[in-house]
Amino acid sequence: MSDLLKKVEVIFKDDEVVVVNKPAGLVVHSDGRTEEPNLCDWVLEHYPEAEGVGEPIEKKNGGIIARPGIVHRLDRDTSGALIIARTEEAHAHLKAQFKNREVDKEYAAFVHGRIEALRFEVDESIGRSVGDFRKWSVPPHIRGEARAAHTDFETILAGEKATYLKAFPKTGRTHQIRVHLKSLHHPVVADELYAPGFQPILGFTRQALHARAITFKLPDGTVITAEAPLPADFLAAKKELETQK
């Protein structure tokens, strides 16, 4: 087992669902082009009953990318709480909650620049970027359809050159938090895709975004909040930022 897979931690589990703390650097599932460790490998090793649960991706060439138990995703370099379904019933139940925006998510982030506002929101639709197929953007720098996106933010600690935030995405668009923060000219620290003109600070070697907590319902109606502790790089950055107040 790879070193990254050994870092996967279980933060909640029952007979239907597992919530893990995904380490930064680990992809959730294969892209079908390259071979590297991914979270689905870990799922099959520890919860083999999840094989066949969920919806695989069908590639244009007819190939299949398996996604056992996967209901939602985190970017490779985003760490934190991610739900895995162990049964088809749980997968369908969770998928409906995500579709109906009944899952509450809390992220922690360090961004470039000082933000004075204690609470603020971004209600900007998101679409594919005109200039780079890997990126998403807010209008007018998009091509094709734009989809509604809304994120609430809360400032926790503002330093001279960076701010520590909580983010509460109300929709689930690809790269949503990263795109919304870039639109404010406060991109996530060390985000190679959305902050190319900024030098990484606070010791980060990966984008400073962590899925801190997720709240959802189990198939029996029980409400669960699973929390992923802040990783070491976040704790170190927070301590450094406190000296800059």
Side-chain angles (χ1 to χ4, degrees), residues 69-108:
I70 302 303
V71 186
H72 64 123
R73 293 175 54 192
L74 294 176
D75 297 332
R76 175 198 295 272
D77 287 327
T78 298
S79 54
L82 185 138
I83 309 172
I84 297 161
R86 299 175 67 178
T87 67
E88 283 288 0
E89 179 188 5
H91 187 277
H93 187 73
L94 289 164
K95 182 180 177 183
Q97 289 180 69
F98 276 100
K99 181 178 180 180
N100 295 328
R101 301 180 184 176
E102 296 170 347
V103 177
D104 292 327
K105 293 167 284 185
E106 175 189 322
Y107 286 74

Side-chain angles (χ1 to χ4, degrees), residues 19-241:
V19 185
V20 299
N21 183 4
K22 184 190 83 68
L26 181 67
V27 295
V28 173
H29 59 73
S30 169
D31 62 4
R33 299 187 300 272
T34 58
E35 290 190 13
E36 64 177 306
N38 60 77
L39 185 62
C40 289
D41 296 335
W42 182 93
V43 172
L44 291 176
E45 179 168 345
H46 291 82
Y47 301 95
E49 69 275 13
E51 184 173 9
V53 171
E55 302 167 338
I57 297 174
E58 296 186 16
K59 298 174 60 182
K60 292 181 179 179
N61 64 6
I64 298 293
I65 298 175
R67 299 192 300 168
I70 302 303
V71 186
H72 64 123
R73 293 175 54 192
L74 294 176
D75 297 332
R76 175 198 295 272
D77 287 327
T78 298
S79 54
L82 185 138
I83 309 172
I84 297 161
R86 299 175 67 178
T87 67
E88 283 288 0
E89 179 188 5
H91 187 277
H93 187 73
L94 289 164
K95 182 180 177 183
Q97 289 180 69
F98 276 100
K99 181 178 180 180
N100 295 328
R101 301 180 184 176
E102 296 170 347
V103 177
D104 292 327
K105 293 167 284 185
E106 175 189 322
Y107 286 74
F110 286 88
V111 302
H112 287 281
R114 183 179 180 90
I115 297 179
E116 299 289 351
L118 294 179
R119 288 181 175 81
F120 56 100
E121 63 181 7
V122 179
D123 189 6
E124 285 276 7
S125 58
I126 290 175
R128 286 281 188 183
S129 173
V130 171
D132 189 333
F133 73 93
R134 300 171 302 163
K135 297 170 66 174
W136 297 75
S137 187
V138 299
H141 311 292
I142 65 169
R143 54 185 171 85
E145 180 185 6
R147 303 182 70 185
H150 187 112
T151 312
D152 291 335
F153 294 95
E154 179 182 345
T155 297
I156 305 302
L157 184 63
E160 294 177 2
K161 297 181 179 179
T163 302
Y164 177 44
L165 301 172
K166 287 183 180 180
F168 304 90
K170 303 306 179 183
T171 49
R173 308 305 177 205
T174 301
H175 298 177
Q176 177 175 316
I177 295 171
R178 298 162 66 190
V179 171
H180 276 170
L181 287 167
K182 182 182 186 300
S183 75
L184 297 176
H185 308 290
H186 291 286
V188 173
V189 169
D191 188 337
E192 293 183 355
L193 195 58
Y194 293 102
F198 294 79
Q199 290 297 317
I201 56 176
L202 299 175
F204 281 103
T205 58
R206 55 95 174 197
Q207 65 198 29
L209 188 61
H210 176 72
R212 180 69 179 85
I214 191 162
T215 300
F216 60 98
K217 288 183 180 179
L218 297 174
D220 67 3
T222 302
V223 177
I224 297 295
T225 296
E227 298 184 351
L230 292 177
D233 53 359
F234 268 68
L235 294 174
K238 186 170 179 286
K239 186 175 181 179
E240 181 178 342
L241 193 61

